[in-house]
Amino acid sequence: MTHLDSESKRRIIECVAARHGVSLSHDDPILMVHTLNEILLEENAQAHRQLLNDFRSLLEQNASRFESRNSVLSYSSRQHTQSDIRLLAETIMQQIDARLNEKLTDTAAIVNKAKSASIIYLASTTILIITIIIVLLIL
């Protein structure tokens, strides 16, 4: 699991202050959104690695099957089988690319939702602070 070290927190706080003019403290709850994003990205990366490993295993299994068949065939047939192996490898790699692109699109959607949620949270926190200041000024 990921966590924010003090250097990461400092960098985030400086970036938010520079871009938005908002000062965050080191224990500000908005930093948990960043942590949640990191966790989601890490989980998606693990899922992508697993998917890629599954496809590699499938490719190796099919290549082994073709290679064993290849040893029995004549030389001309072997050339044909080798082209079949190449075609199969290309097809599997296209499937890997398609699945990875699908997962990356899903990850981007999750990140965008988290980003929107953090902006809403930041806006509501700002409104709350302004409301507290107004109440204190009235009293």
Side-chain angles (χ1 to χ4, degrees), residues 26-136:
H26 285 281
D27 61 348
D28 195 303
I30 195 70
L31 294 174
M32 78 178 166
V33 173
H34 177 75
T35 302
L36 291 172
N37 282 339
E38 281 185 335
I39 292 168
L40 289 172
L41 290 173
E42 182 179 303
E43 288 175 358
N44 277 313
Q46 289 173 352
H48 291 160
R49 281 190 294 274
Q50 182 60 45
L51 185 62
L52 186 58
N53 288 337
D54 292 346
F55 276 120
R56 282 185 181 146
S57 295
L58 180 63
L59 178 61
E60 289 171 1
Q61 290 171 359
N62 286 322
S64 295
R65 220 179 289 150
F66 278 114
E67 286 173 2
S68 64
R69 192 183 306 161
N70 195 16
S71 64
V72 176
L73 299 173
S74 68
Y75 178 77
S76 63
S77 295
R78 285 186 193 147
Q79 296 297 6
H80 180 68
T81 303
Q82 288 174 353
S83 67
D84 288 344
I85 291 172
R86 282 189 215 101
L87 180 62
L88 178 64
E90 288 174 16
T91 302
I92 291 174
M93 291 309 290
Q94 289 171 353
Q95 290 176 356
I96 290 171
D97 287 343
R99 290 267 181 107
L100 284 177
N101 285 334
E102 178 183 316
K103 291 296 181 182
L104 289 173
T105 301
D106 293 345
T107 301
I110 290 170
V111 168
N112 284 334
K113 285 179 184 179
K115 183 179 177 183
S116 296
S118 65
I119 290 169
I120 291 169
Y121 176 78
L122 187 59
S124 65
T125 303
T126 304
I127 292 170
L128 178 64
I129 291 171
I130 291 170
T131 304
I132 291 170
I133 291 171
I134 291 172
V135 168
L136 289 175

